Amino acid sequence: MRFPTPIASLALLLAAALPCVAQIGDKKGEAQIQIIPDSLVPPSPAQSPYQELKSFQLAPGYKIELAASDPLIGDPVAGVFGPDGRLWIVEMQGYMPDLEGSTEDQPHGRVVVLTDTNNDGVFDKAEVFLDQIVMPRALALHRDGVLVGAPPHLWFCRDTNGDGKADEKIELANDFGVRVDPTRPQLANPERAPNALLWGHDNWLQVGAYTARFKFKDGRWIRGLSNFRGQWGQGQDDYGRIFHNSNSDQLRADIIPSSYLARNPNLGRTTGLNWKVATEQLVWPIRVNPGINRGYRPEMLRDNKLKEFTAACAPFIYRADLLPADAYGNAFICEPAGNLIKRNVLTAEKGTLSAKPYYDQKEFLASTDERFRPVNLITGPDGALYVIDLYRGIIQHRISLTTYLRDQIVKRGLDKPLALGRVWRIAPEGVAPVAAKKLSEMTPAEWIAELSSGNAWRRETAQRLLVERNDANLAPALRDVATNGATPMGRVHALWTLEGMGALRWEAVAACIRHADPRVRAAGVRNAESFLSAPKSEDAVALLKAVALTETTPEVQQQLVLSLGEARTPALEPDFDAYLSAAALAHRAEDVSFIQDALISGLQGRELEVFTAILRKPELYSKTLPAALLRCVFAERKSTRVEKALSVIAALPLKSQQLTLLGSLAAHPTVTAKRPIKCEAEPDALVKFGKSKDSGIQKALVAVQKLIVWPGKPGVQVVAVTPLTNEEQSQFDAGKQTFMGLCAACHQPTGKGLEGLAPPLADSEWVNGNPARIARIVMHGLRGPVKVKGLTYSLDMPAAGFLSYAQIAEVLTYIRREWDHEAAPVKIDFVKTIREQTKGRNDAWTEKELLEIK
């Protein structure tokens, strides 16, 4: 748009520079001035699929072709191929139908099933399996139905009468996110809701952005705890490691499965659960990108194009045999705001992973069409890479929308049309589409053969079908593949299939543990766990201890340490010999990242005993292990065990050992950030240390004494904790429900927080300190940096001011008395007072402002 006079131009500039508060995503006082001139921004009309096809720039050696398009599908966000070759698609129709999201709460969403009737590689028939649902976002096939996630529900849906439409919905969960409410947009953030249902190798259904996982066993669903991971999408590799990401952080992974780390709450935080695989976030679009939410910030752009990831999603590890061999194991990441897909090469080193771009300053796939929105990637029965293209103008939800982006949308008509969408197929050049043999038409014996396929979709689908069929007559053939299979991944999937059927036998597990391929060995070690705690555990424990002496591959070393933590004696007592074998392996492999955390994760309640044992022969174990175990004993907060640990230290022959251990307590935030431990009397060990004339011991003693209190301690008054009244207990119980539904996704049910996303609440000085500060944070949010338990976090916490007075008081009462906290509960009247004192405030608080509140 051009203005005829300089005065008009100046007026526009001044208006744009004024503080914007019109949209939820606006930052108070921040000028939103368009950087890219309109003259450099090409039109962005909705194009036909074949026009869009011409906009693509694809890496050499590959071709892209249409597999499905509107009007058969509209607003597709996820998909999965069925055993019969049909493609199931989730349509989030209803998402941001306009700039106000005015009808998002209406049941416009669908699940459709696509069929290629003539086998030409293009789906030409669509059937609606399920409709009249609100904002569906996830699906996975299971038995004769499909799991569908539509907040707040996770349903298992079936067609019981054969008409192709779901007529039965069984609810698995009713906390699958929060149902959207256009009048209260902060209540349900679609960018943080659960998604990405992924069948893991271990037969558990993993869920993205959620704190639970599910397994179907003995005719019923089992719900297990999991860690919140990622924003949108999940992937897994041949080891079964789960990959995830968030909008500006393209790739992370759980190096240690969360189920292991959850064994020991004394361990504290570890980056092994949320490892940053890709440190570089640069992207290379081929069109200018004015239509990004904060495109008015110069640091967001390079040559008028998106500089770094801002909408990273759908991490996908390609593991099939159609693309060139060097693509196997690569990580592909969608960036819908930049209209591109990045390809990364993964490298394993010392038990971790790193990612580097495959192409230098180029992308695997990029488009000049602003409406190309890749939001998911899948592999099909043929091994091709399929791209789910949302194909729309608006992708930013109103909860984060800025005035700048709203103006871009209006000015260029990006809000219409709606209900478009495509699926693209990427394959090597010169390879024509070939209809792959349908697993639905195969016999169970042929499914067993498919476990060895070079295409992960085929072997994982075969595993699922065999587990669901659970035919005991197939177990001998499966054991033969697990024991003698020709391909490593065939043996891995045969073993996990047997696990899912409850048909594991030790001979097959032992054969896998002895295999040459580390993926097979790791799977064998993990499946040995069901034998480690059985009445006849000697053989399993003996083999793992023997392998631990010679194993050299970091991934298997880590799994050995994790699995030995499950060992029990034939009398089902803790097997300390196994734990010491694991500790010795952790020392021998101490350059393997997180292996010490892996070890300690299996020692809950036994840290003191292992601590005592390894100090008898310290040369056999890591020098850092005793201090780590000692911190766990203090984190356990049992005074008698703390006193025993101090007595062990006092009995050590070398003062250097004593100083190292005492100093580790005084300097580590996981200990110093906690409240003092209450003992019945001054520990004898402290009395002994107090008589020492060594200045180093005396200095360490001063620090350690701050961690312990006892009746009569000079300058300290030990106050008994007042039990909650019935009314306060009701508050606590209600607050727990609110916390689990609203807060646990980021801060975790354990209160430990999530690396890169949310600081810990357990033992946080903010939670246990002045309630006026934490109440303000809940009402208005917090913007970093902020120091918590000695660590600095540069993260923003969104406001939850939409909660009622009672809800805020309840959730604050909960977090101030959970996790062994002893802080006073919070009254509703107190919350009302804080609300009145801060009336009219719209901005998030800073650490400096909060610390000024006394």
Side-chain angles (χ1 to χ4, degrees):
M1 182 178 297
R2 296 179 182 273
F3 292 88
T5 68
I7 295 178
S9 297
L10 179 60
L12 177 65
L13 181 62
L14 290 173
L18 290 174
C20 299
V21 294
Q23 299 299 307
I24 298 174
D26 291 339
K27 301 290 185 180
K28 186 177 181 180
E30 184 177 47
Q32 299 184 17
I33 303 174
Q34 180 174 329
I35 295 174
I36 305 174
D38 286 341
S39 60
L40 297 182
V41 181
S44 297
Q47 301 190 88
S48 72
Y50 298 101
Q51 289 173 318
E52 185 187 7
L53 182 61
K54 296 177 182 178
S55 76
F56 292 137
Q57 183 181 95
L58 183 62
Y62 293 88
K63 65 177 181 179
I64 185 168
E65 51 202 6
L66 187 68
S69 74
D70 46 84
L72 288 183
I73 54 175
D75 289 332
V77 295
V80 61
F81 279 92
D84 56 3
R86 296 191 301 165
L87 178 57
W88 294 69
I89 292 288
V90 171
E91 298 181 341
M92 198 189 286
Q93 295 197 33
Y95 176 77
M96 286 297 287
D98 51 39
L99 287 162
E100 283 69 43
S102 58
T103 58
E104 282 191 333
D105 59 339
Q106 300 302 306
H108 298 309
R110 308 190 306 177
V111 174
V112 299
V113 190
L114 305 181
T115 305
D116 175 8
T117 61
N118 57 10
N119 293 325
D120 65 350
V122 179
F123 293 97
D124 48 36
K125 178 184 177 182
E127 299 172 276
V128 178
F129 175 77
L130 179 66
D131 58 7
Q132 295 293 302
I133 48 178
V134 179
M135 299 276 278
R137 52 195 297 114
L139 84 164
L141 301 184
H142 175 65
R143 293 181 292 153
D144 58 345
V146 59
L147 294 155
V148 178
H153 307 288
L154 177 61
W155 290 304
F156 176 58
C157 306
R158 297 173 63 229
D159 166 22
T160 63
N161 59 14
D163 66 352
K165 295 183 179 296
D167 48 56
E168 178 183 85
K169 286 198 298 188
I170 300 172
E171 187 176 76
L172 271 68
N174 59 12
D175 63 347
F176 197 80
V178 180
R179 180 165 177 158
V180 67
D181 182 349
T183 66
R184 303 170 71 194
Q186 298 97 331
L187 184 64
N189 185 352
E191 298 177 11
R192 290 286 184 188
N195 64 89
L197 305 180
L198 174 68
W199 284 111
H201 291 176
D202 59 0
N203 301 302
W204 280 91
L205 183 70
Q206 303 290 342
V207 187
Y210 194 52
T211 56
R213 56 183 182 148
F214 300 90
K215 190 172 190 177
F216 191 77
K217 186 175 182 180
D218 299 329
R220 64 186 184 89
W221 287 100
I222 300 171
R223 178 176 175 138
L225 282 177
S226 183
N227 65 300
F228 180 96
R229 61 170 74 89
Q231 268 189 267
W232 183 264
Q234 295 187 107
Q236 70 178 327
D237 65 5
D238 281 350
Y239 281 101
R241 291 176 292 206
I242 304 298
F243 292 77
H244 44 96
N245 58 14
S246 57
N247 52 16
S248 57
D249 190 351
Q250 65 155 319
L251 192 61
R252 287 180 175 260
D254 290 352
I255 302 298
I256 301 176
S258 62
S259 56
Y260 287 111
L261 294 175
R263 296 181 298 186
N264 192 351
N266 302 326
L267 174 60
R269 292 161 64 86
T270 171
T271 51
L273 185 61
N274 188 25
W275 175 249
K276 193 180 186 73
V277 178
T279 56
E280 180 181 309
Q281 308 299 334
L282 298 176
V283 293
W284 303 92
I286 61 173
R287 62 159 287 125
V288 296
N289 300 118
I292 57 176
N293 201 35
R294 306 204 184 275
Y296 53 84
R297 293 179 178 174
E299 66 269 20
M300 296 293 295
L301 302 172
R302 178 206 312 111
D303 298 331
N304 295 329
K305 299 171 184 174
L306 183 64
K307 180 181 177 181
E308 296 181 322
F309 276 104
T310 190
C313 63
F316 183 78
I317 311 301
Y318 180 79
R319 295 177 298 127
D321 49 4
L322 182 66
L323 301 189
D326 68 348
Y328 194 97
N330 285 184
F332 293 81
I333 314 295
C334 292
E335 172 45 276
N339 322 113
L340 59 87
I341 297 173
K342 179 174 283 292
R343 176 183 177 186
N344 293 293
V345 178
L346 300 183
T347 302
E349 183 179 6
K350 296 183 178 180
T352 65
L353 293 165
S354 62
K356 297 294 182 184
Y358 187 92
Y359 304 101
D360 182 26
Q361 299 187 16
K362 292 182 180 178
E363 302 298 355
F364 176 70
L365 174 64
S367 174
T368 58
D369 188 342
E370 187 171 12
R371 296 173 187 254
F372 171 57
R373 307 295 195 183
V375 294
N376 241 314
L377 301 170
I378 57 175
T379 304
D382 58 352
L385 180 64
Y386 288 83
V387 181
I388 308 296
D389 176 7
L390 183 58
Y391 202 78
R392 58 165 26 228
I394 301 178
I395 56 171
Q396 186 74 57
H397 192 261
R398 65 172 297 211
I399 197 170
S400 304
L401 188 69
T402 60
T403 295
Y404 164 82
L405 183 55
R406 181 187 180 103
D407 292 345
Q408 285 286 319
I409 292 168
V410 172
K411 182 163 56 177
R412 296 190 286 119
L414 296 175
D415 54 336
K416 296 290 186 292
L418 300 173
L420 304 179
R422 289 89 199 251
V423 178
W424 302 97
R425 178 182 184 270
I426 297 177
E429 285 184 331
V431 176
V434 176
K437 188 174 181 180
K438 299 176 181 177
L439 271 71
S440 59
E441 298 175 354
M442 293 182 177
T443 65
E446 291 175 304
W447 290 344
I448 293 175
E450 288 289 345
L451 296 174
S452 301
S453 170
N455 180 350
W457 178 88
R458 299 189 72 85
R459 56 183 185 253
E460 289 169 1
T461 302
Q463 174 181 324
R464 178 175 64 81
L465 294 173
L466 288 162
V467 170
E468 291 170 359
R469 189 179 185 89
N470 201 14
D471 184 348
N473 294 321
L474 300 174
L478 286 164
R479 294 188 192 111
D480 182 61
V481 175
T483 305
N484 305 303
T487 69
M489 292 311 297
R491 297 182 69 153
V492 168
H493 286 285
L495 198 62
W496 281 116
T497 301
L498 289 165
E499 187 277 339
M501 295 170 56
L504 277 176
R505 295 292 182 272
W506 171 244
E507 293 74 18
V509 174
C512 288
I513 293 173
R514 297 187 180 100
H515 194 268
D517 191 289
R519 295 170 297 179
V520 181
R521 295 202 301 279
V525 171
R526 191 170 179 186
N527 276 284
E529 291 174 10
S530 60
F531 299 92
L532 293 177
S533 57
K536 296 182 179 180
S537 60
E538 300 98 318
D539 290 347
V541 174
L543 180 57
L544 263 60
K545 288 169 63 176
V547 172
L549 296 173
T550 58
E551 181 58 58
T552 59
T553 301
E555 289 78 8
V556 186
Q557 290 174 326
Q558 177 178 279
Q559 188 59 57
L560 280 162
V561 169
L562 289 168
S563 295
L564 281 168
E566 297 294 312
R568 299 292 182 271
T569 66
L572 302 183
E573 296 293 329
D575 191 333
F576 285 98
D577 284 344
Y579 306 152
L580 293 177
S581 292
L585 171 56
H587 175 44
R588 187 167 60 82
E590 61 185 353
D591 61 337
V592 175
S593 303
F594 319 124
I595 198 162
Q596 187 163 282
D597 288 347
L599 169 67
I600 296 173
S601 75
L603 299 179
Q604 183 192 9
R606 301 183 288 276
E607 298 96 335
L608 173 61
E609 291 73 17
V610 176
F611 170 75
T612 304
I614 64 175
L615 285 175
R616 297 191 185 108
K617 295 183 178 180
E619 70 279 2
L620 300 180
Y621 307 104
S622 169
K623 294 180 180 179
T624 62
L625 180 58
L629 290 170
L630 180 62
R631 291 193 293 270
C632 288
V633 174
F634 270 69
E636 192 178 13
R637 303 186 61 78
K638 293 182 178 179
S639 59
T640 55
R641 292 174 65 79
V642 167
E643 292 178 33
K644 287 180 181 178
L646 290 172
S647 296
V648 170
I649 298 172
L652 291 173
L654 299 177
K655 289 183 179 178
S656 60
Q657 290 178 297
Q658 295 175 337
L659 281 170
T660 297
L661 292 170
L662 294 176
S664 73
L665 292 173
H668 204 282
T670 59
V671 176
T672 58
K674 293 178 178 288
R675 297 168 319 289
I677 298 167
K678 296 178 182 178
C679 294
E680 293 183 1
E682 182 178 7
D684 292 340
L686 294 189
V687 175
K688 181 178 180 180
F689 288 134
K691 296 177 180 179
S692 173
K693 296 181 180 180
D694 186 279
S695 60
I697 292 291
Q698 290 302 312
K699 183 178 179 181
L701 177 61
V702 170
V704 172
Q705 283 179 328
K706 295 178 181 178
L707 308 176
I708 302 172
V709 295
W710 57 87
K713 182 178 181 181
V716 176
Q717 182 178 2
V718 180
V719 180
V721 179
T722 303
L724 296 177
T725 65
N726 290 339
E727 180 182 353
E728 291 166 345
Q729 184 63 50
S730 296
Q731 269 191 299
F732 178 94
D733 295 339
K736 181 175 183 178
Q737 293 299 318
T738 301
F739 178 86
M740 291 302 174
L742 185 64
C743 315
C746 297
H747 292 290
Q748 301 289 284
T750 61
K752 291 183 180 180
L754 188 63
E755 185 71 26
L757 183 64
L761 300 181
D763 296 303
S764 165
E765 62 271 37
W766 294 93
V767 172
N768 292 304
N770 187 345
R773 295 171 181 168
I774 193 72
R776 283 169 166 81
I777 293 173
V778 172
M779 291 177 188
H780 305 109
L782 172 69
R783 42 190 174 89
V786 61
K787 183 172 286 188
V788 182
K789 296 175 66 174
L791 300 177
T792 298
Y793 297 81
S794 297
L795 303 168
D796 290 350
M797 174 180 162
F802 52 84
L803 294 176
S804 68
Y805 296 131
Q807 287 175 315
I808 293 175
E810 289 161 358
V811 78
L812 292 182
T813 295
Y814 170 71
I815 65 174
R816 286 166 62 84
R817 293 304 284 262
E818 182 63 304
W819 312 304
D820 203 28
H821 291 173
E822 299 173 353
V826 174
K827 304 294 185 183
I828 294 176
D829 286 344
F830 176 83
V831 176
K832 290 180 179 178
T833 299
I834 299 297
R835 177 84 81 183
E836 184 62 29
Q837 291 174 352
T838 58
K839 187 177 181 180
R841 184 182 179 97
N842 295 311
D843 195 16
W845 295 90
T846 65
E847 180 183 52
K848 182 176 182 296
E849 290 176 315
L850 291 169
L851 291 177
E852 291 173 352
I853 299 169
K854 304 301 182 182

